[in-house]
Amino acid sequence: MRAHPASAPAPAPSSGGPATEAIMLVGGKGTRLRPLTVHTPKPMVPAAGVPFLTHQLARARAAGVEHIVLATSYLAEVFEPYFGDGSALGLHLEYVTETDPLGTGGALRNVAHRLRSAPGDPVLVFNGDILTGLDIPALVATHRSSGADVSLHLTTVDDPRAFGLVPTDADGRVTAFLEKPQTPEEIVTDQINAGAYVFTRGVLDTIPAGRPVSVERETFPGLLADGAHLQGMVDATYWLDLGTPQAFVRGSADLVLGRAPSPAVPGRCGERLVLAGARVADDAKLFGGTCVAAGAVVASGAQVDGSAILAGAHIAEGAVVRDSLVGAGAHIGPRTVLDGVVVGDAAHIGADNELLPGARVWPAARIPASAIRFSPDAP
Ligand code: GTP
């Protein structure tokens, strides 16, 4: 069944006000973010000192959302013990778990029965791995004023080759969903799907139930083919897909620096964020949006730049950590250098090692100390 055929009239849009309901898609396996996602679902990996999802929930709340349904699947059991009923964030949260993953569209259909909105009301949908300064009320206003069935946040990128493209006409109406371009001629726009949508509630009910559906590959192209109105809103504010370790580390640092807006950063934005219960030696240097979590230790002479040091991790004396994430309880030995590296929880890297961009150390792995003392001037 195609979603929302053109012959079926769109439900009449309701007028005015913010969208008060949202669905958060948080059930993906987060394979690109391994090893951080081996024991923790991507939205629960800490960014700027709190699980990343906290930033998205707080931003939605600030935009007037009151009720959020979390569509969970992979490691579903960890969300509710942390966020509970959502009242600490001023929200009412509900959780729906897929036994078998239903994909992004199937997940939306699977939770739609928990919404209270009328068929013509706007419902926000967020991918659970996007850090953005999107003007959420503006997306809702665009949806209402255009009378669209679905409105999509579009962002522009310098190099669109890695993305599906979403061209629009002069009125912002989506004209196509194009696969990743293979040739320069196929790059007809620099606009891409930014992972935040407003659906007219009734449209969610037309997604097929009980089977996997991709909203990007099936629902949106199907709606377009059936003549539905899909509206794009280009908002070129801060936007980052935190799907890879490098992007995740960048996003955490940008939250600490205040480049990425969030009401949930637990402290003042600046070069560093040191949470209560962390210990940092007086002569250690922290900068570039580094976050040091509770129970972590940064020892004398260590330098940490643009990195996230998770709870209970230990950075030994003279270590240099740049653009890296050090997992909970992990140990980085004296004088060891990490540059663009992800270290899994409880891993142990001995003294005088050097790990370069892209290296991923898996949870509880052990790399012994070198027999040769590391010197930055060594050939
Ligand atoms: P990768 O495996 O690294 O591609 O990450 P991912 O699994 O998160 O996939 P992707 O980035 O394409 O997912 C976009 C958003 O949809 C993320 O917030 C996911 O958590 C979510 N998502 C993806 N697949 C499912 C699913 O089957 N069910 C639910 N509930 N959410 C999903």
Side-chain angles (χ1 to χ4, degrees), residues 294-323:
V297 174
V298 182
S300 176
Q303 288 186 35
V304 189
D305 177 7
S307 296
I309 311 301
L310 302 194
H314 188 111
I315 312 297
E317 57 276 7
V320 177
V321 180
R322 202 176 299 120
D323 299 335

Side-chain angles (χ1 to χ4, degrees), residues 25-33 42-43 71-73 98 101-104 107 126-129 216 241 243:
L25 290 168
V26 293
K29 288 205 172 92
T31 48
R32 289 169 297 154
L33 201 54
K42 182 163 45 175
T72 67
S73 176
E98 297 143 42
L102 288 171
T104 45
F126 298 103
N127 278 1
D129 53 359
E216 301 87 354
D241 172 352

